[in-house]
Amino acid sequence: MIRSLSRPQLLVDAVMAVIALLARTVLGYDGVVAFWMTVGMAGALFLRRLSPGIALGLVWCTVAVQLSASLPPDIANAAVLPVLFATAAYGSRTVRWAGLASVPIGALIATVYVLFLQSGGFDGLTSLVLQIRTGEAFQAGAPGVIGFVSAAALFGLSWVLGLLVATWRTARDGRAALRSAAAEQADARREVAVEQERTRIARDMHDVVAHSLAVVIAQADGGRYARAADPEAADEAFRTIASTARSALADVRVLLGQLRANDDADPGSDRSDRSVVAAPQPTLDDLDRLIDQLRASGLMIERIASGPAAALGPGQQLVIYRIVQESLTNVLRHGDSAIGVRIGFSWEAHAVILTVDSGLRGSRPVGAAPHGHGLDGMRERAVLAGGSFEAGEVGDRFVVCLTLPTLTASLPHTRGAMPA
């Protein structure tokens, strides 16, 4: 396996290998085999990070040549230590285990080879084995045991240090991956928040534009018919049209400003969240103005309430306002405006139940305009506010029913039933 190294890393390894080769050359060589053994060790030193497996194989081949030529231990053999370090630090799983196996095997071979040379070759080594068998085991074998333990400790230390480096590098990469994952998660959350804000703005835009256009159309039709018979009524209709258009234009400008702010905001900031807080939103106090506006368009609206009113959060008040607005707009567009509309608030212990009861035009339910999403939008608003929403025909009328928990509610929400 060839690892990918940068040019500076390759240059550093090449310089170290050349320096090791030149340093050994200063001491001189006893023969050609000694020179090529030094070249092999220098090559392994250069390849230790580029390919630890090839470097380990080259070390074993060089040692085999050294053993076959009966050359004594050389300072060039010190290259074994950084190679063993590299097998644990940079090698694959197989190379790492091959490096670990090389520790006891290499220590044993080095010990036996040194004893072989000190004992005078094969005859001396045979005599040493006979001494171990005949009773002078400790005196004869102690140098070998000490040599084996020392070599194994030296080789093993190099390998363990490499393993520690690999472990530290893995932990560092894991921490970096965690930081990267956390950053990506934060970016994803910001994108979701921005998308949710855009969806909310689009929903509010739909409510504002649909309501305003319905009022404008109704007033324009009324003014056109009343122009000849009742000029004052026509003027009042035109004044309502102008007021509604100005209000709608102001609301649309606010919503477009929020959308532009979200698009221009830095991805790492919470500017979009601040725009939501800063933008003025309708509350229950604005319902009277909304109802008067629809009454001026020809709707007969009755608002009733039962029970003591409880506290509602700004988000809940906005949900109620938008659902009343959408419901009345649907009545104006699709319902029977000649039949009165009842808006009821039933304040209970832990919830408020809003009902908008209107007449049907034929058999077509309110809000079922082609390609319309009014009912779906109202239902989504209710669910996001922790409440429930139902809408449908009840006899010859269409009823919208919203249940929202109040701020004193101990339960997540109380589901309301459709009134009979």
Side-chain angles (χ1 to χ4, degrees):
M1 181 189 68
I2 305 297
R3 299 177 65 245
S4 178
L5 297 180
S6 63
R7 286 187 177 182
Q9 290 176 323
L10 289 174
L11 181 61
V12 168
D13 291 346
V15 169
M16 290 182 61
V18 171
I19 291 176
L21 179 61
L22 293 178
R24 177 61 183 84
T25 303
V26 172
L27 301 178
Y29 300 102
D30 296 335
V32 177
V33 177
F35 171 76
W36 285 112
M37 182 199 72
T38 305
V39 171
M41 288 296 182
L45 190 63
F46 169 71
L47 294 173
R48 73 188 191 283
R49 288 198 296 178
L50 185 63
S51 179
I54 294 178
L56 182 63
L58 183 57
V59 165
W60 275 111
C61 292
T62 304
V63 169
V65 172
Q66 181 181 5
L67 296 178
S68 62
S70 299
L71 295 178
D74 194 278
I75 191 174
N77 295 126
V80 173
L81 302 180
V83 171
L84 288 175
F85 174 90
T87 59
Y90 310 112
S92 63
R93 182 182 179 87
T94 301
V95 173
R96 185 177 296 119
W97 285 112
L100 179 60
S102 299
V103 170
I105 296 175
L108 179 61
I109 291 176
T111 302
V112 172
Y113 185 68
V114 170
L115 292 177
F116 171 81
L117 293 178
Q118 291 178 350
S119 302
F122 288 103
D123 295 338
L125 184 61
T126 303
S127 175
L128 178 63
V129 173
L130 291 176
Q131 289 178 4
I132 295 174
R133 289 181 175 179
T134 56
E136 299 180 359
F138 179 77
Q139 296 179 357
V145 173
I146 296 174
F148 172 79
V149 172
S150 300
L154 186 61
F155 295 161
L157 179 61
S158 299
W159 187 88
V160 169
L161 289 176
L163 185 63
L164 291 176
V165 169
T167 303
W168 173 82
R169 187 173 60 250
T170 301
R172 182 195 61 188
D173 294 342
R175 289 192 296 269
L178 286 177
R179 288 193 296 268
S180 177
E184 292 178 359
Q185 186 180 32
D187 291 339
R189 288 178 176 174
R190 281 191 290 269
E191 291 177 1
V192 170
V194 170
E195 189 63 29
Q196 289 176 342
E197 174 66 4
R198 288 176 177 171
T199 302
R200 185 195 67 80
I201 292 173
R203 191 185 300 117
D204 287 346
M205 189 86 73
H206 164 268
D207 293 342
V208 170
V209 173
H211 165 74
S212 302
L213 288 180
V215 172
V216 167
I217 292 171
Q219 291 291 333
D221 289 340
R224 182 165 55 88
Y225 291 127
R227 180 178 54 185
D230 190 353
E232 182 62 28
D235 291 342
E236 181 62 27
F238 293 140
R239 282 193 292 269
T240 302
I241 290 174
S243 175
T244 303
R246 289 192 188 96
S247 177
L249 181 60
D251 290 341
V252 169
R253 282 177 175 172
V254 170
L255 294 174
L256 290 178
Q258 294 180 43
L259 187 60
R260 189 178 298 110
N262 289 337
D263 290 337
D264 296 340
D266 181 75
S269 68
D270 58 350
R271 181 175 175 181
S272 61
D273 295 336
R274 293 196 298 269
S275 67
V276 177
V277 176
Q281 298 292 351
T283 64
L284 292 183
D285 295 335
D286 299 310
L287 277 180
D288 291 335
R289 181 173 58 86
L290 174 67
I291 292 174
D292 291 340
Q293 192 178 63
L294 270 297
R295 282 172 178 164
S297 300
L299 287 182
M300 295 180 293
I301 304 174
E302 178 186 8
R303 179 178 176 179
I304 58 177
S306 63
L312 293 174
Q316 295 169 312
Q317 296 186 47
L318 176 62
V319 170
I320 292 177
Y321 181 91
R322 292 303 187 194
I323 288 181
V324 171
Q325 182 185 50
E326 179 71 16
S327 300
L328 295 180
T329 302
N330 286 338
V331 174
L332 194 62
R333 295 171 59 190
H334 311 299
D336 190 349
S337 58
I339 302 176
V341 180
R342 293 194 299 268
I343 301 176
F345 285 88
S346 177
W347 298 92
E348 299 183 353
H350 301 294
V352 57
I353 300 176
L354 165 71
T355 57
V356 181
D357 187 350
S358 59
L360 288 173
R361 181 185 300 172
S363 60
R364 186 179 185 179
V366 178
H371 310 293
H373 302 282
L375 294 180
D376 292 337
M378 288 189 281
R379 181 174 291 105
E380 183 179 1
R381 285 184 183 275
V383 172
L384 290 177
S388 61
F389 176 85
E390 296 180 16
E393 297 183 19
V394 179
D396 60 348
R397 302 183 68 83
F398 192 85
V399 179
V400 172
C401 181
L402 167 69
T403 302
L404 280 181
T406 61
L407 294 182
T408 58
S410 58
L411 299 177
H413 68 272
T414 304
R415 189 172 184 83
M418 290 289 296

